[in-house]
């Protein structure tokens, strides 16, 4: 799911609800668009996440919102949908994007905690962020709702 044309002077709040992946045992990822391209270089992002355990990756090709792994990733059972809130403060600013906050819950495939919270950043440059992409680590999203709010900065 892509959201583009983010405007300067606002914070953006994205809410994914009733999210169900098409494939079992996958993770929810986020990528950033800048300079008319979604970025997926091997060292474009830094993120940390607290779920069943604390994880950090200082050099990744995406921000991993949920856990990955055969038993701790998201389930595709129709009665086990996820819900997440992601805040991207002032994406139009031309400063390093230090904080993208996320939190939510998705029942894990077999074990562990489905609760997740964390933060990530796009670390390559200070260009304005013009869009975000939410995707699964494998396969597509079978269903779900995305709501987007923007809050004017003062």
């Amino acid at each position: 799911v892509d959201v583009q044309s983010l405007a300067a002077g606002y914070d953006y709040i994205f809410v994914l609800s009733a999210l169900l992946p098409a494939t079992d045992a996958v993770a929810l990822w986020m990528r950033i668009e800048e300079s008319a391209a979604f970025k997926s270089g091997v060292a474009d992002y830094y993120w940390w996440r607290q779920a069943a355990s604390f994880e950090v990756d200082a050099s990744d090709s995406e921000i991993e919102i949920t856990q990955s792994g055969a038993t701790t990733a998201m389930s595709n059972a129709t009665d086990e949908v996820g819900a997440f809130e992601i805040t991207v403060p002032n994406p139009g600013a031309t400063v390093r994007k230090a904080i993208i906050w996320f939190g939510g819950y998705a029942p894990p495939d077999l074990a562990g905690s489905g609760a997740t919270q964390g933060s990530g950043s796009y670390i390559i440059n200070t260009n304005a962020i013009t869009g975000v992409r939410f995707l699964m680590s494998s396969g597509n999203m079978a269903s779900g709702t995305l709501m987007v709010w923007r809050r004017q900065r003062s």
Side-chain angles (χ1 to χ4, degrees):
V1 175
D2 295 347
V3 179
Q4 296 173 290
S5 302
L6 302 183
Y10 295 91
D11 296 336
Y12 283 83
I13 299 103
F14 303 91
V15 175
L16 292 159
S17 59
L19 179 62
L20 182 67
T23 306
D24 196 31
V26 294
L28 175 62
W29 291 354
M30 178 181 175
R31 289 190 174 137
I32 298 300
E33 178 191 51
E34 62 98 353
S35 301
F38 283 97
K39 303 302 180 181
S40 61
V42 296
D44 286 355
Y45 303 93
Y46 169 91
W47 58 264
W48 69 267
R49 177 184 58 239
Q50 178 66 51
S53 62
F54 182 78
E55 299 176 77
V56 64
D57 194 327
S59 182
D60 209 340
S61 59
E62 69 279 321
I63 295 171
E64 294 186 12
I65 295 174
T66 63
Q67 291 181 284
S68 56
T71 61
T72 57
M74 288 180 68
S75 169
N76 69 341
T78 57
D79 62 342
E80 296 181 354
V81 296
F84 306 92
E85 181 175 309
I86 300 98
T87 301
V88 180
N90 202 15
T94 54
V95 296
R96 186 148 323 258
K97 306 309 182 287
I99 300 173
I100 297 170
W101 181 89
F102 57 84
Y105 181 82
D109 193 39
L110 294 175
S113 170
T116 184
Q117 66 176 347
S119 180
S121 58
Y122 176 62
I123 57 176
I124 296 304
N125 59 46
T126 60
N127 294 345
I129 293 172
T130 56
V132 296
R133 172 176 285 166
F134 299 105
L135 65 158
M136 305 312 296
S137 57
S138 178
N140 296 316
M141 295 178 190
S143 60
T145 301
L146 172 64
M147 294 175 282
V148 181
W149 287 272
R150 70 180 191 176
R151 172 177 58 209
Q152 188 167 11
R153 298 179 66 86
S154 57

